[in-house]
Each structure stands twice: as structure tokens, then as C-alpha cells.
Amino acid sequence: MPRYSLCIERARLDPKGRGSVAFKVSLPLLNTRLQAACCTRLKWLAYRYEPPGEELWRCLGETYLAAETAGHAQKSLQLYPAQLGLSSVAQQYLHALVFFTSSVDGLMPLQVEMADRLIAHFLSSFVFSADCRPDSVYWVDAASGGAPARLARKPRASSPGLRFFSAGPALTALEELIHVVERGEIPTTLNLGGEYPQKVLLPVLRHLRLYWALRPPQRRHQRHPLTTSIAVLQGFEHSYVVFSGAVPRLTREAGVQNAILEDVSLGGFRACFDDAGGERIKLGALLCMQAEGGDNWLLGAARRINRLKGTRARIGVQVLARHAQSIELRPRRSGFAAAVAIPGIWLRDGGEPDVLRIVLPQGSFDVRETLDFCDADQLHVLTALELEESGNDYEIARFHEQSAS
């Protein structure tokens, strides 16, 4: 990427030189390749959950505006001889904007790659304009070198670099694709870089639908700043032990990591972790947490990760339960297998009447299986309803509680 920028800068500083004159015909291609390189860098940062810096946004914005001034921002051309399809400076810039506003920090690396290819598939249907339209959802100031933002936060002042965008017809096309995939079909025209089953593709499609909507997800609960230390254990096994009543020694040797709570809301919190010398927190990880000075453990899941400088990371955690209990589930069938218990963590917070949400080890849920467990001398008989979520080493399932007989 720096070499592309260096070539463009040298031509700009000596516009009448022999090399610059000969180079001018290649400028549209070079600008488009520079934008494509920036997009690739943005994606690689997303794989590592690292935020893009001002330098990257400045390069994207300046290149787009320079190409627009030169009159070739919309010029379609082939990036490389072996690469199918055409692109332009404006398309590459829009791709970067859509990628960033699609909130890919809440996706796994494979899902990030799929989202990037889906964005490329639908990109031509997005609306990108210098005017704020009734259906505009996001804006960016290409001249300032800043990242795009929702129109919930208005631009401070008018600027020639202001641009507005939304999914437009792409949202309708995405909805149609979701319906097709839900029927078990995946169009052959969809290039995802590989073949993926319905259950892998659908979560990514539904994630994009949320962030391409005219009203993207809003924070349901207000955040409140709060600075305190929390102890964190990662994984199903650790969580099962804690909610069995066995309180661990809060040491790093016992697998405990310390984090600093930054803010909290009714649905979760944000905390800063230091991964030095400990196991790195992974997206989707099951987390068992206790605030300093507290005696109650919470169960949550890592929903967003932003890697910071060094070994630090800022992680958004959704609280799954403030009251949980470890249980042993047994299949209600005859034979030896019936004696083998399945460990589970019962999420006891609220919920629907006669419906229990239980965390199980990954691969344990069977919709055909009826289970039971005892709690305080009471027998609970459960009929499987659905698998709600699957994580790194766990899954959350919903069960209907029937009367024991």
C-alpha cells in the first residue's frame, strides 16, 4: 500500500515530468488498487479484532476525493488480469464503509470472510450519495479521515467531503437471499470462496440484515460508567464448577483472569482485559465473572472484541444469567446409557413460563431426547424445544418442562 501512495505522490509533485505524463493513463487503475489494498488491510485488522486507525481512513478518503476531482472515481476497470469482475475507486471506498458499519467485530473470522464476500455481492445495489436522502442511514466525511458513523449522530458542519449511504435495494435482495437459504438452497451465483451449509451461512446473513436495516440495532439499555476489578473464568468446565458451589481460588494458576470493568448496563458490560500470560478471551466464549468484593458469580458470553495496543483487549459481554445453577441431566431411556449424566448450567433468570434455558457441553443437545434432573427433591422432566445458540465449547438450549409422572 505505501508504494502505491508513493507513486501517486511523486506524480502529483511533478505533474509535467516525463514519467508523470506517461503515468497519468495508469492513475485510475493505481487509485483503485490502492483502495482495494486498504480494504484488504481493513479486513485483516477485523480478523484480529483490531480497530482501523485514522491513517487508513485518511488514505481511503483522500484517494476517493482525488479520483473524484480527476473524474475517474466511477470508472470501472479490471483490478488484475486474473481477477473476474470490474471495480472502481468509489466502489472500493463504499465497500470499506459498508464493511466497517456491518459491525464485523461481533463475527468469527470465517464469518468475517463470508460477510466481506456478501458485501461485494450486493455492493452495486447500495446507495452512495453526496446528499442526505430520507433513507440514508450512515455518513462519512471523506476529507477528515474519520470513520463512518450512523446518522443518529449528525455531522457537525457541512463539508465538501460529506457522503451518505444506505443499503437501499441491497436490503431487499438480502431478504430474498435469506428466504432462499432458509429453504435449503444456496444460489450458484453466490461466490463465498467455498461451500458452506445453511446453518453456517444463515447467521451471517441475519447479522448483515440487522446492520443494513433502515434502523440498525440500538442500545436497549443505557450504559453507566463504573470502574472496578472483576475476576473472570473462561469456558464451560470452569463455569460448571463455579455454579456447582465450588468457589475457586482466585489466582491465575487456577485459570482466573482479572479485568477492569469500564461501564455496565442492564444487559451486560464492557471490560478491559490483559491477555499477557493468560488464555486469550475468544469471541463467543462462555465467561463466569465476579466483581471485586462481591459474592455472586454471573454467567455471560463475549459478544464483541476490540484488540488494543500490546496485549490488552476491550470486550463487550452479554450477561446470560445473574442466577445460575449447575445440574446433572439424565436421558429418560432404558439401558446403560440412561445412567450417564449430562452436565448442564440452568439459567434461572426470568424466562417464559414452563420453559427452561440450559447451557450444555457442545454437541450434547438432541431434539429427540427427553431429559430429567432433580433439584431440592423435585423432579423436572424436560422436552427439547430448540437449540438457541452454539459457542466455542457450549450450546444453549430451550426445554419445555412437563409434569413429572
Side-chain angles (χ1 to χ4, degrees), residues 284-305:
L286 195 66
L287 303 176
C288 187
M289 304 151 290
Q290 185 184 67
E292 185 178 33
D295 57 3
N296 184 49
W297 286 85
L298 308 178
L299 190 66
R303 297 303 190 199
R304 295 188 181 281
I305 297 180

Side-chain angles (χ1 to χ4, degrees), residues 76-87:
S76 296
L77 42 81
Q78 189 175 16
L79 270 178
Y80 298 97
Q83 187 167 326
L84 298 175
L86 303 177
S87 187

Side-chain angles (χ1 to χ4, degrees), residues 29 42 46-47 89 122 124 129 163 193 209-210 248 254 334 342 347 351 358 380 396 401 404:
L29 177 60
L42 188 65
Y47 286 150
V89 172
F122 291 109
S124 61
S129 171
R163 297 294 182 272
R209 178 172 59 185
L210 283 175
S334 60
I342 301 170
L347 308 180
I358 299 176
H380 298 263
I396 302 176
E401 183 176 11

